[in-house]
Structure formats: structure tokens, C-alpha cells
Amino acid sequence: MPYSRNSRPPYAWAKKPLGNGLSPARRELAAALQSLCLLLLVAPESADAPTHNPTQGEVANQLKMSESALSRALSGQVLPRHRSVEMLFEAASAEASKRGIEVGVTLADLHQLHAKAAAEQNGVITTHLSADLESASRQLRAVRAENAQLRSAYEELRAEHDKLRQQASLKADSLRSLQRKYSVLQRKAASLGKRVSLLEAGSPAVPSDAPAATPLPVPHQAGDRQRTELDTAAARNVARRAETLYGGGRQADEVLALLRHTTDAYSPAETALLVVLLVQEGREDLAKDFLHIYGRDKSDREVLRTALELLKSGAPANAEALLLTAAETRKPYQTP
């Protein structure tokens, strides 16, 4: 049998080493394919040309596959197509029959080996797929658990957000209410200021039956700290005396007499400071009685000035109480 057209031994390309990692069926199938290749000869193109041992490329062309695919199939690296196995068997059987040589393997055997190798390959793929599926399932469960935690946290944050919005709404309502009250007090203060200005200018808007008005005290000059301190000291003195009378078990009449005398002797600024001090010391009842006496006995001009001083001292409720008392104790009158 002549050598091939290259310097290598005949059929060296068909004798591929089989790796240890091959499955049994694939190893056996690759060995059977190599034995079939050893039976192949290339027929001459003319009667004068000799037959020769085929190359790997020539066998690959005969089997309708690439040379690299044939090489991987012979080494067991890949599983060849079912039709390629049949074509190789048919070509090898024809050459063996011409030369009276036994093939050594049947087509049924090859079909069985191919089926086993395919089953093993599918099993490996299935195993890998099962492992990948299990891994994906674990990741999915972890993602779902994390998603549940995130949803729970989101619901908590949403509830907290709704609560904060509700609180903000309530505070906004309270702020608007305070702003309205402040606007009302500002208007009242402006109205009182106008009335005081009219009264000081000798406006005839004073009722005819109102008690004679006493001259207004000289208004405090800006920065008159000494006068302010005197007003505060005088107010504190009356507050202490009233507290002493209460603490000594004196009758309420004596305390009221002191307050009545105070209304005659104190200026509007001193009167406002006295009321604030009484409230600060917890004597709201005494402050209420004092405001009632003051609003009843004093003139409109003094009542208005004292109400202004109370507004300046941060006691709008007491200013309002004083004005209401004065209004209730006056008879209705018409302005000329």
C-alpha cells in the first residue's frame, strides 16, 4: 500500500489521541470512526493514476464536513452528525468489500454508540442546566426576599410620610389660625391707636355720662429707662402688697380696696405692668378683679391707653378683657 503524498506515515491523521475526560460511549465511537478511516482509499481520477491513501481533507470533503470538524470527531471532542457517521461507514464498507476485508463494526453498532454518546452529552447538558436552574432559583428566591423587605420598608416609609404630611397640615392650619388672630389683634391695636389719638385731640366721641377724664400722664420718651424701672418697681410693690394681704388671711374687700386705690394712683404703663406681674405670679383671679375695677371706674381714654400698654407688654387677652369690661359697664351712646 503506497504512502500518502506527504512525508507522514499513512493514515497518521486518523490516529487521534483520546483524552481521559471522554465518556465511555464517545470514546468507543471515536475509536470506531478512526478504524473506519483506516479502510479508506482514494480512487484514481484516470485509469493510469494509482490509488493512494486519503488525506484528512479528502475524507472531510467526502463526508461533506470541514476538516477541523472531522478532526474533533475522530478525537472525541465533538459528536459528529448522524448522517456523517453513516457516510463514513458506507465508504469504508465499500472499500473493505473490494479488498475482502472485514469492517469490524456494523452500522447498528455505530447507531447504538452514537445514541449513547448523544444521551451522555444530553445528560451532561441537563446536569449543567439543572445546576444553572438551581442557582437561578436560589438567586430568584433571594431577590424575592429582598424585594419583600424593600416593599415592607417602603410601606413603613410611606406611612411615616403620610403621618408627617398630616402633622404638617395640622401645623399649617394652626399657623394660619395664629396669623388670623395676629391680624385681628393688629387691627384692634390700630383701631385703639386711632381712638386714643382722637381722644387726645379732643374728639367729641366721648359719652356725655362718662366720668370726668383726668389729665393724661406725659408719654414716656424713648430710652427713658429710669421711668420704666420706676413703673416696674411700683407695679411689683402693689403685687407684693396684694400677695401679703392674701397670705395674711385678710378679707377680699381689703385687697379690692388696695386695687381700687391703685387704679387712681397708677399710670396706664404701671397698670399694664401690674397686670402682667400678677398673671406671671399665678394671681389670674386678682388680675381679673383689677381689670374689672379699672375698666368700670376709669375713663375711656385711660382704658384705651392701658389696653395699648397691655398689647405692647404681650398680654392681648388681658387687653381684650379690659375693653370688654369697659364696654359692658358703659351705657350705649351715640356719637354726635
Side-chain angles (χ1 to χ4, degrees):
M1 186 177 296
Y3 275 62
S4 64
R5 288 167 292 181
N6 54 36
S7 59
R8 299 182 62 189
Y11 301 101
W13 54 269
K15 300 173 183 179
K16 305 289 186 183
L18 301 178
N20 295 328
L22 295 177
S23 64
R26 181 171 290 189
R27 176 185 293 275
E28 191 172 353
L29 177 62
L33 296 178
Q34 291 183 18
S35 65
L36 290 176
C37 288
L38 296 178
L39 299 176
L40 296 176
L41 289 173
V42 175
E45 297 179 358
S46 63
D48 297 333
T51 60
H52 63 272
N53 299 328
T55 64
Q56 180 173 268
E58 291 171 336
V59 174
N61 290 332
Q62 187 178 0
L63 299 177
K64 309 299 182 183
M65 58 193 306
S66 67
E67 187 174 350
S68 60
L70 176 60
S71 177
R72 290 195 298 272
L74 294 176
S75 62
Q77 295 178 9
V78 297
L79 187 65
R81 292 181 301 170
H82 196 272
R83 179 54 185 159
S84 298
V85 174
E86 290 181 344
M87 291 174 66
L88 177 59
F89 178 79
E90 291 170 358
S93 296
E95 288 295 332
S97 177
K98 291 178 183 179
R99 296 156 56 188
I101 303 174
E102 293 291 336
V103 177
V105 63
T106 65
L107 183 59
D109 293 336
L110 291 176
H111 284 167
Q112 186 175 6
L113 289 175
H114 191 278
K116 286 183 179 180
E120 289 175 349
Q121 177 175 284
N122 293 335
V124 172
I125 294 175
T126 302
T127 301
H128 287 307
L129 290 176
S130 298
D132 292 342
L133 180 61
E134 180 62 26
S135 177
S137 298
R138 288 195 299 268
Q139 293 178 2
L140 179 60
R141 288 193 294 270
V143 169
R144 284 178 175 175
E146 184 179 1
N147 183 56
Q149 293 178 355
L150 291 175
R151 288 180 63 88
S152 177
Y154 169 76
E155 293 299 331
E156 292 178 359
L157 290 175
R158 184 176 181 180
E160 183 68 18
H161 179 260
D162 293 341
K163 181 179 179 181
L164 291 175
R165 288 188 61 183
Q166 185 177 6
Q167 292 177 354
S169 179
L170 292 175
K171 290 182 178 180
D173 293 341
S174 178
L175 178 59
R176 285 191 292 268
S177 177
L178 291 174
Q179 288 175 340
R180 288 192 295 268
K181 291 181 179 179
Y182 178 70
S183 298
V184 171
L185 289 176
Q186 280 186 322
R187 289 194 295 271
K188 288 183 178 180
S191 177
L192 288 173
K194 291 180 180 179
R195 293 185 64 181
V196 169
S197 298
L198 291 174
L199 291 172
E200 289 179 344
S203 172
V206 180
S208 58
D209 57 349
T214 56
L216 286 173
V218 178
H220 295 180
Q221 299 297 325
D224 192 353
R225 182 176 300 176
Q226 181 179 2
R227 177 59 188 270
T228 302
E229 293 175 353
L230 292 175
D231 291 345
T232 304
R236 290 188 183 277
N237 182 40
V238 174
R240 283 195 299 269
R241 289 179 62 190
E243 187 65 27
T244 301
L245 289 176
Y246 268 116
R250 301 296 182 91
Q251 297 297 323
D253 293 342
E254 298 183 30
V255 179
L256 293 178
L258 171 64
L259 297 180
R260 192 172 292 109
H261 170 74
T262 301
T263 60
D264 295 332
Y266 275 31
S267 68
E270 293 169 338
T271 302
L273 287 173
L274 174 59
V275 172
V276 172
L277 288 173
L278 290 175
V279 173
Q280 289 178 351
E281 295 177 3
R283 305 303 305 184
E284 290 86 354
D285 52 348
L286 188 58
K288 182 179 179 181
D289 292 339
F290 179 75
L291 289 173
H292 179 77
I293 295 171
Y294 195 92
R296 181 194 63 192
D297 296 344
K298 305 301 286 184
S299 66
D300 287 350
R301 185 178 300 178
E302 290 179 295
V303 168
L304 291 174
R305 289 189 62 84
T306 302
L308 281 175
E309 294 293 338
L310 286 170
L311 287 174
K312 294 177 182 179
S313 301
N318 293 322
E320 184 177 2
L322 175 59
L323 293 174
L324 289 176
T325 299
E328 291 172 357
T329 56
R330 264 66 165 175
K331 293 180 181 180
Y333 64 90
Q334 298 292 331
T335 57

